[in-house]
Each structure stands twice: as C-alpha cells, then as structure tokens.
Amino acid sequence: MQNTSRCFRLATCLTLILLLSVGASFVRAHASLDRADPSPNARLGRTPDAFHLWFTEPVEPEFSRVALRDSSGALVESPPAAVSADGMGMTLTTGDLPDGVYTVVWRVVSAADGHPTQGSYPVVIGAAAPAASLASDGADAVTIPIDSAAVRWINLISLALLGGLPAFALWVCRDARTERRLWALSWTGWLAVGAASILLLLLQTAILAGEITPSALANALFSSRFGALWLARIALWVLYGLAVMLLWQPSAGSAGNAPRRRAALVAGVMLAAGIQATQSLFSHAAGVEANAALVIAADWLHLIAMSAWVGGLVGVIAAAPLLHAEPAALGRVVARFSNLARAAVALLIVTGASAALAQVGSFEALTTTAHGAALIVKLILLAPLLLIAAVNLLLNGRRLRAGAAVWAGRLRLLAGVELALALAILVAAGLMTAIPPARVALAERLGAPPPPDSSYFEMEVEGGVMVHLTITPGLVGENTFIVELLDDATGAPITDASLIRLRLEHRTANLGESELRPVHEADGRYVAVGSNLSLPGDWRVRITVQRPDQFDTLVDFAPSIPAAAPPVESPESASQNSSDVEAGDSRDAVGDPVRLVPARSGAPWLITSAGALFRPGETGGWAREPLAAQVRDATIGFGGVIWAAADEGVYRSRDGVWERISDFPARTLVSTHGYLFALGAGGFLRAAEGVLEQDVRQIDAPESDQRAADFVMLGSHSHALLNGTDVYMTGSLGLGWTPLDAPADVRRITTDAAGNLLAVGDATITRWEWSTNTWSLRLALGGGAPIDELVEFKGALYGLSEGQVVRLMADGAREAAFASEGGVSDMAFQYPDTLWALDAAAMTLVSTRDGCTWSAAAVTLAGGG
Ligand code: HEM
C-alpha cells in the first residue's frame, strides 16, 4: 500500500510538471519554404497568373495559409490558397494588381511532424520601388523551443515507463516480492502517458491554430493527420489501461495467476509498441523523402529499444531494495536485465546510426546545426552510460549471484547514475525532435535566397498591432530604422502613436542600452536615423508603442548585424574596372552574338563568339561589360549581381565592379534558389549568391572524368546534374549523389512546369517524376536532327534544332516555330512569359509571348558594330 501511494505521489508530481509547462507560449516557427514562383524579390512586368509556393514537406491543408499584403500592409482580397494534391504546394491567385511592392505572407504546418513554419517575402510588380528594404525570408532564427522540447522529453519518459516496465516484469523479474511495485509503476507510466498526450494535443493545437480554444482543439483533432494519430494513440492507451490494470492484478507477495499475468504483460508490451508507432508516424522520420517506411520503422525500433532499456532501469532500481536480502535472486535479475539491455543498446546504436544518416546526413550538418549539436551531446553522454552498464553487467551481477550483499546498494547507486544519464540523453532527444533536422536546417541555410542587401526586415504581431521593422543598410554604423505600424485586423496604418521607442542592446557585448525615438513620417511609418548598432553580432531591439486609450505594445526583434565590409577589389578586378573596351572595337574583333542571357526583366544580355559580354544599354543597343575574359556563359543573380563563366575562371560583378572569385574554368552557369553553380570539366563550383557571402566551394562530379554539363532544381528541392551523358541527383547541393539511371544517353536536361526532370536523348525525351522516382516517356522524337536546347513554354515543348526553333508535337512531329536564313544560335526562356531567340547572322533578336507571334529587334553592339 505504501509503495502504491508513493507511486501515486510520483505520478502527481509528474503530471504537475507537465501541466506547468503548458503555461509557456507554444508558438514558434522555422522556415521550410522550398521555392516559390515568382521567386522572392522577383521583379515582374505584370501580375503573375498565380503565386506558387512549394514546401519541403506536405502541409496540413486546414491549417496552412498564404496571403498577399500590399505595401501599406493591407490584405489583398483573394480566394483561400489552394493546396496541391500531394500537399507540397500552395497556390494563391489574385485579380490584376496595381504596380507596387507586395509581400507574400505564409504560415503552414507540416503534416509529417506537425512543426509550424511561417515567413514572408516581397515581390515587385511593375515600375515600383525596389524591394531591397523589404526583403525577408522567414528563415528560422534557430531559437530553442524550450516548452516544446520539455513536453517531448516528458512524453519520452512516459513512453519509456509504459513499454519498459511490462517488458521488465515479463522477461526480467518474475519475483512475487516485486510484483505490486512494478504494477504500481506501470500504472504511473500509464497516467504519465495520458497527461503527456494531453500536453501534446495542447502543444500541437497551439502550433496549428495559434491559440487553444475548444474549436481549435476540435479542428486539430478531427482535421489533421496529427489528430488522427492522436486519437489512435488514445484508443491504444485506453486498451492498455484495461489490459494491464485489470488483467494483471498482483496481490502482495504473490505473482497471482501466471497465464493471466503473462497475457496482461504481453498485451501491455504490444499496446505500448502501438503507441510508440503513432509517435514515429508523427516525427521527423515521417518527413523524409526517400525510404520513408524504412526510416519510420528504424525510428520506431529506436523508441522501443530506448523504452526497454530506460524502463528496465527504473524496474531494476525499484526491485533492488525488495530483493536486498537475497543477493543471488537480485544477481539473476541483473543478469537477465543485462541481456535485455545489451540487445536494446545494440538496436539503439544501429537504428540511431540509420536515423543520423537520414536526419543529419553530413559532417557539415552535424557540426553546424543545433540538431547536430544535440546529437553530439547525446553521443558524448552515451560513452559513460555504456561504461556504467558494463560495470553493472560484468561486476555487479556476478558478485550478487555469488551472494555479496554489499553489491546490492552499489547496484542501486550505479543504476541510478545510469538512469540519470539516460534521462539526460532523452533531453537531447526531445530537443532534437522539437527543432528542424540538421539535414533540412543545412539545406535551408545553403539554399535560402539571401536578401538582396543586408537590410533587416521582420514583422511581429502583438496585441492587434502589426509592427514591421526595417533597418537599412543593416550594417555596423549609421542605419535608418523604419517602424511601420498597421492594424492587424484591417491593415489600416496606425498614425496616432504618441510615443515610439526603440531600445537597442547588444546581446553579448556589455554596451548598455541605447534609445531611439522615431518620428511619424506618413501613413503609420515612423523613421529614425542613428549609429546605435555599433558592433557586429546579435542585437535585441525592443519597440514600445504607446497610443491614447490603448495598452502599450511591446515587441522584441533580434537582428544579426554583420560588420560593414567594403567590397574588396582584387588587383585583377581593378585592372578590369579601368575597362578593356576600346571604343570602336570592330565586330570582327568581338565576334557575333551567339548566346542569350535572360535578364530579370527587359532585353537579355548577349555573349559573342569571341567571349565578350554585352549588357542591354539604357538607350537601346548593347554595351560591352568591362571584363577581359573569354566569357562562355553569364547569369543575372539576386540583387543584380552578375556572374560570368570564362576560360580564365568565374567572375562576379557588383555595382559594376568585376572580381574573379575562382580560377575554375567554367562553361555553364546555373543560378537556383540563392545559389550559383559554375559547371566545368569534372565538377563544379558552388557559391552563395548573397552579396556578403564569400562561401565558394569546388565539388567533384560523380564521374569526374566527364563534363558537368547542366544542373537543374527539381520540384522536390533536390538538384539533377547532367554529367557526361548520365544524370545524377543530389539532395545536398552536391555533397552526395544518386544515379538516376536514365533510359538512354542524355544530351540536355531541363524541368517541366511541375518541377519534373526532362532528359533529352537522341530519339526520346524522357521525364523523371520527383514525386514517384520513376522515368516515363515524355515524347518519342521520331528521328530528325538532335535537339540542342529544350524549353517548356505555354504548355508545349520547344526545341532548338539545326538553327530553327521547333515546336514538338505530341506525336513527335516538329513544327517550325521560328526559322531564319542565318539560323538561330540560341534560345532561352525568360520569366514570366517570354521566349527569346537570337539570329546571329542577321543580328536580330526575336521574342514571343504566345509561341505564335514573334517580334524582332535589331542587335547593335556598342563598340562592336
Ligand atoms: C549511437 C547512438 C545514437 C544515435 C546515433 C542516435 C541518433 C538519433 C537520431 C538521429 C534521432 C532522430 C532525432 C529526430 O527525429 O530529429 C534519435 C531520436 C531519438 N533517440 Fe537516439 N541515438 C542514439 C542513442 C540513443 C540512446 C542511447 C537513447 C536513449 C537512451 C536514444 C533515444 C532517442 C529517442 C527517444 C529519440 C526520439 C525518437 C522519436 O521521438 O521518434 N537514442 N536518435
């Protein structure tokens, strides 16, 4: 009886801790926007047909939103965004929008692991002001969600008790003296799982709906994948309660009816495993793309093994005092537990390693993310844990079996330390499950489109007030601080603030607080200029807003300020800035324009046969760029940065200043999702496109004796590389490769509108669908000359073949779309709706917006004839 009441006290304490942790706010965010079309910071000629957003995991349709706000913050009226059939994409359509800067605001909840994500990014439509000061990507600030991690930790402990104790009573300790205590502890575990389930429901409802109300709870329960799994968990939990508590009825000092006891315990172990399965089905494991079933199964075995070990340790600690007087019996219990624990540890290590492969995946992810750091802590704690377990196994059990009673006390102590270490490991595990997996965090960091300059822009909503903070240029030194206040419900500017105060504090350097008082400029826009950000690093900017007859609004922002870094001019770039263009270069000297480089808007750039790069001039014609290199390809990246691939290396131009960033001779440039890839012989160079980013990395192609010929981003966020005539896929920006085994040799690759890979061979165009990982025939080419370029435009395929732009019909026939006497030397698609073709011999550039009508413009190269 005394034991039972002690266990109830323990259960009450646990429940209290659980409930206290609900008090904290549950709302958190991390970015999982994969890509968007139009892309963040895009400058569009007109309203796009739709705003498409793709996420890295399927989203909960009921709880995911996309909205558009205009530059005053007002919501643009539109039907709710539609979620695609696979749950990975959302599409928002609007009516025609007037020119201006718009912010796409999104908030989604992953259907796989229930983590919320939110963010925003600007797009510019028409002749509006540049979006630089509005750039934002909603990326995860890698805050540690303490409340969520605590709930998950408690949940893991309760699961350990629920599964581990019946297993312990079934296979390790059948001694009648321990029966009541083990029964009472199992009962505690059951209550703890019930309490943890309630906490998980509250947590997830807050994540899904942003609030905990009866309707939000009902919605979370009945309209989400989480709800379905939670209800299944509760059903299993009730069955467990009935089976274990009713069937297993130990009376003091007796093991009771043995077959009934056995049935109860087997049912307990199996039902606990079922509950653990609902956990694994709603975990990071459920969010992986490849081999999801295997990864989920490994996660489930990891949980079961953890539960057998940790729950069993609790059993040993509970049983030891009751068997104190009989060391030999205790020794036998220890020996049997050691067998169970050995198997559990082996399983933990194997399944843990496989989970690490799936969730972390690289040394870089392990060492540079919070998730990776938590795994390292776990492994560090595992070493002493294994050491103590070995002492218990090799020394303790043997001495006890030999009748040395003194080892009973030592056993309890060592098992206690072992349990404490295991609970610490569970803290790390709980944290890991509460934050984005390392692989995703790394890919997001590498792939996130950096803002076009270092301006800081963030938005918070507090007490019905939407507060935007923009800090420009966002560097150490003098900055402009713009606070924009809007009514969250109506989007109307708040103009009646009697006081706005910014308190700025460096988070690590002890500088004390400084203050700014922005003044009202217009339309809820309050501006101040100051040099308060005097050191690089993490800052806290606390904004207080006072309004007549209203409660004060208090919001914290956390800008990270890089040091001001004036662009470094290399000696080479300096010489190039002085311009190598000789006025009056003859056309013979620069050659004919042979290659098109689509611009973000307006006319494309041109590259000539002699490797000269020309930009569209302001008053018509094309002007030569001051770059003395044999240019093969160029691309216009984020923030107006121009990249050029040349025989002499890869060059970058910012504000008209060219610098060589690598001597890797590159042929082709691809810019995807904030990253630049310069492809050449045997591999490629990868560079972050951010203006301040200097991270440049050379990566070998899987077939390093073959040319890296083309590189495209698929709808799954992975990339495909054409290497020689083979295609490989990488989910880690080139850190690992999977051969895609294309059905035939491939000449070119591109993507269709759904982000599937199109591979052009000599006789066929095949499609690799990223959602099903399968190849299928897209088009049989039916003979004829090879296709050199391929573009999907207005739902049809256009190829460049023998100097003609041809439309490829469904039966493989070709229809001339544009032909010229001299022959078309290049064809390119420019977002959103233009197909360009270049007729070098006639010095003419033609374009179409519908695939039928072409308009032509003469090409005049300044300094080139
Ligand atoms: C070589 C040793 C181990 C490795 C490499 C490893 C690795 C991992 C990884 C990568 C995860 C996935 C985390 C996530 O979903 O974000 C995980 C989860 C977990 N690990 Fe381990 N682990 C190891 C040992 C252990 C040990 C000794 C314990 C307990 C005593 C443990 C308990 C857990 C638990 C409870 C989870 C959460 C599973 C879930 O909620 O789905 N692990 N582990």
Side-chain angles (χ1 to χ4, degrees):
M1 194 60 217
Q2 201 194 354
N3 293 336
T4 318
S5 71
R6 197 183 294 162
C7 290
F8 271 109
R9 276 211 304 274
L10 185 67
T12 317
C13 282
L14 250 178
T15 314
L16 215 65
I17 298 172
L18 302 182
L19 290 173
L20 275 176
S21 62
V22 187
S25 147
F26 282 129
V27 183
R28 74 210 85 256
H30 70 80
S32 60
L33 178 68
D34 184 1
R35 66 199 166 89
D37 180 10
S39 55
N41 296 310
R43 294 184 127 268
L44 312 170
R46 58 178 180 78
T47 309
D49 293 341
F51 293 86
H52 302 282
L53 290 85
W54 286 273
F55 299 92
T56 48
E57 290 173 8
V59 301
E60 289 280 6
E62 276 292 311
F63 299 97
S64 300
R65 310 265 177 276
V66 177
L68 195 68
R69 288 186 185 270
D70 66 17
S71 55
S72 73
L75 270 180
V76 173
E77 269 193 36
S78 62
V83 177
S84 63
D86 63 2
M88 307 279 286
M90 292 189 73
T91 301
L92 179 78
T93 38
T94 61
D96 254 2
L97 299 168
D99 288 0
V101 180
Y102 292 84
T103 307
V104 180
V105 186
W106 53 270
R107 183 182 193 280
V108 298
V109 175
S110 156
D113 61 16
H115 288 300
T117 322
Q118 67 181 23
S120 63
Y121 59 85
V123 291
V124 183
I125 295 178
S133 63
L134 279 170
S136 156
D137 64 4
D140 188 4
V142 194
T143 44
I144 303 297
I146 302 285
D147 46 2
S148 166
V151 169
R152 290 167 207 269
W153 178 60
I154 288 160
N155 178 47
L156 291 175
I157 297 174
S158 69
L159 291 179
L161 297 179
L162 192 78
L165 285 163
F168 183 79
L170 186 63
W171 290 302
V172 176
C173 182
R174 287 184 284 263
D175 195 300
R177 282 166 288 186
T178 62
E179 202 66 358
R180 274 202 76 90
R181 187 172 279 190
L182 293 182
W183 179 85
L185 272 172
S186 302
W187 181 231
T188 310
W190 183 75
L191 284 179
V193 168
S197 302
I198 291 171
L199 286 179
L200 284 173
L201 174 64
L202 296 175
L203 174 70
Q204 198 56 31
T205 304
I207 288 173
L208 290 167
E211 58 182 1
I212 302 173
T213 59
S215 69
L217 278 168
N219 235 356
L221 267 183
F222 303 112
S223 311
S224 73
R225 184 170 171 275
F226 163 82
L229 288 167
W230 191 89
L231 289 170
R233 172 184 169 125
I234 291 300
L236 293 167
W237 177 75
V238 171
L239 282 178
Y240 181 108
L242 293 174
V244 177
M245 299 308 135
L246 297 183
L247 265 180
W248 183 21
Q249 284 185 326
S251 46
S254 122
N257 178 336
R260 188 168 147 167
R261 173 185 190 273
R262 198 178 159 71
L265 292 176
V266 169
V269 169
M270 288 175 64
L271 289 164
I275 290 177
Q276 282 154 351
T278 63
Q279 163 94 9
S280 293
L281 285 167
F282 197 68
S283 66
H284 285 153
V288 300
E289 275 172 38
N291 303 322
L294 273 180
V295 179
I296 293 171
D299 186 85
W300 181 52
L301 291 176
H302 200 68
L303 264 178
I304 290 180
M306 177 282 291
S307 166
W309 188 14
V310 179
L313 266 175
V314 174
V316 169
I317 294 169
L322 301 176
L323 302 175
H324 191 88
E326 208 181 314
L330 187 54
R332 283 194 295 281
V333 168
V334 171
R336 276 200 294 271
F337 175 65
S338 294
N339 288 339
L340 181 74
R342 256 203 308 260
V345 169
L347 196 56
L348 272 172
I349 292 176
V350 173
T351 51
S354 99
L357 217 63
Q359 309 289 3
V360 182
S362 68
F363 187 69
E364 192 178 352
L366 180 71
T367 49
T368 62
T369 62
H371 188 264
L375 179 55
I376 293 174
V377 169
K378 226 172 128 181
L379 295 177
I380 291 174
L381 290 170
L382 186 62
L385 183 60
L386 289 178
L387 195 75
I388 296 171
V391 171
N392 274 339
L393 164 70
L394 299 174
L395 221 63
N396 230 324
R398 215 173 286 159
R399 296 275 155 84
L400 282 168
R401 284 199 300 282
V406 63
W407 283 91
R410 290 178 193 165
L411 169 76
R412 245 188 133 201
L413 178 72
L414 285 175
V417 177
E418 204 178 324
L419 181 63
L421 283 168
L423 293 185
I425 289 186
L426 292 188
V427 172
L431 183 61
M432 287 173 83
T433 58
I435 57 180
R439 186 192 278 276
V440 172
L442 179 68
E444 273 161 8
R445 197 177 65 224
L446 297 183
D453 64 11
S454 47
S455 292
Y456 171 83
F457 170 83
E458 203 49 81
M459 182 256 288
E460 294 285 340
V461 179
E462 185 63 46
V465 179
M466 187 194 294
V467 185
H468 291 252
L469 172 65
T470 309
I471 307 175
T472 313
L475 296 171
V476 166
E478 189 175 89
N479 281 285
T480 304
F481 298 79
I482 303 167
V483 179
E484 287 175 84
L485 301 181
L486 301 164
D487 186 307
D488 187 38
T490 62
I494 294 175
T495 52
D496 64 350
S498 52
L499 170 82
I500 299 204
R501 186 175 56 216
L502 269 65
R503 288 214 161 119
L504 302 99
E505 191 180 6
H506 197 279
R507 284 186 182 270
T508 46
N510 189 11
L511 304 175
E513 269 187 351
S514 67
E515 199 175 292
L516 277 171
R517 303 263 175 126
V519 290
H520 193 204
E521 205 181 66
D523 297 335
R525 210 175 126 95
Y526 299 77
V527 181
V529 176
S531 299
N532 310 51
L533 301 174
S534 51
L535 276 186
D538 293 336
W539 286 78
R540 189 194 68 186
V541 178
R542 170 161 290 176
I543 301 185
T544 311
V545 180
Q546 284 178 4
R547 298 170 63 197
D549 306 324
Q550 306 272 351
F551 288 118
D552 288 2
T553 304
L554 195 77
V555 199
D556 279 352
F557 292 88
S560 212
I561 302 299
V568 186
E569 260 189 36
S570 67
E572 291 171 279
S573 65
S575 76
Q576 279 149 18
N577 295 334
S578 64
S579 176
D580 295 301
V581 181
E582 302 280 321
D585 265 356
S586 72
R587 183 172 160 196
D588 287 347
V590 291
D592 290 335
V594 286
R595 187 153 188 159
L596 285 166
V597 178
R600 299 250 149 176
S601 62
W605 291 45
L606 300 172
I607 299 169
T608 67
S609 51
L613 177 63
F614 283 80
R615 69 154 73 223
E618 276 160 24
T619 51
W622 276 258
R624 188 170 178 186
E625 275 293 292
L627 175 59
Q630 187 76 12
V631 177
R632 304 283 188 167
D633 195 9
T635 187
I636 289 123
F638 279 98
V641 177
I642 321 293
W643 299 82
D647 293 352
E648 296 84 349
V650 178
Y651 294 80
R652 173 172 59 189
S653 162
R654 291 189 302 228
D655 307 323
V657 180
W658 280 99
E659 58 178 328
R660 187 161 76 164
I661 61 156
S662 160
D663 56 8
F664 178 69
R667 276 290 180 95
T668 308
L669 289 179
V670 177
S671 149
T672 72
H673 217 88
Y675 249 72
L676 178 99
F677 301 87
L679 312 174
F684 59 86
L685 205 75
R686 190 183 82 188
E689 277 203 60
V691 169
L692 295 169
E693 269 282 7
Q694 300 294 332
D695 173 24
V696 179
R697 190 162 171 160
Q698 194 162 335
I699 293 174
D700 281 343
E703 292 175 33
S704 54
D705 55 339
Q706 298 288 330
R707 195 156 88 82
D710 211 347
F711 197 68
V712 293
M713 186 164 83
L714 308 178
S716 57
H717 196 208
S718 300
H719 290 80
L721 171 75
L722 175 60
N723 189 194
T725 55
D726 293 322
V727 186
Y728 293 83
M729 189 176 70
T730 175
S732 52
L733 296 167
L735 302 180
W737 298 100
T738 311
L740 285 191
D741 297 327
D745 280 356
V746 179
R747 300 171 52 84
R748 302 281 319 180
I749 55 172
T750 184
T751 50
D752 65 14
N756 298 312
L757 179 74
L758 295 179
V760 183
D762 283 338
T764 54
I765 295 173
T766 43
R767 175 176 47 208
W768 188 84
E769 281 189 38
W770 58 264
S771 53
T772 56
N773 294 1
T774 50
W775 284 102
S776 58
L777 180 68
R778 172 74 171 82
L779 206 63
L781 290 173
I787 302 289
D788 296 323
E789 297 281 346
L790 184 74
V791 167
E792 195 183 56
F793 179 65
K794 304 278 168 195
L797 287 180
Y798 288 78
L800 182 61
S801 179
E802 288 191 310
Q804 278 194 20
V805 178
V806 290
R807 199 175 297 113
L808 301 170
M809 314 307 283
D811 60 0
R814 299 166 188 208
E815 193 181 84
F818 179 79
S820 74
E821 256 180 42
V824 174
S825 57
D826 198 12
M827 169 186 89
F829 172 69
Q830 180 171 309
Y831 185 85
D833 59 2
T834 309
L835 187 63
W836 293 104
L838 179 65
D839 178 352
M843 291 291 280
T844 309
L845 188 65
V846 293
S847 65
T848 180
R849 292 194 167 191
D850 57 9
C852 303
T853 349
W854 296 80
S855 38
V859 173
T860 44
L861 301 182

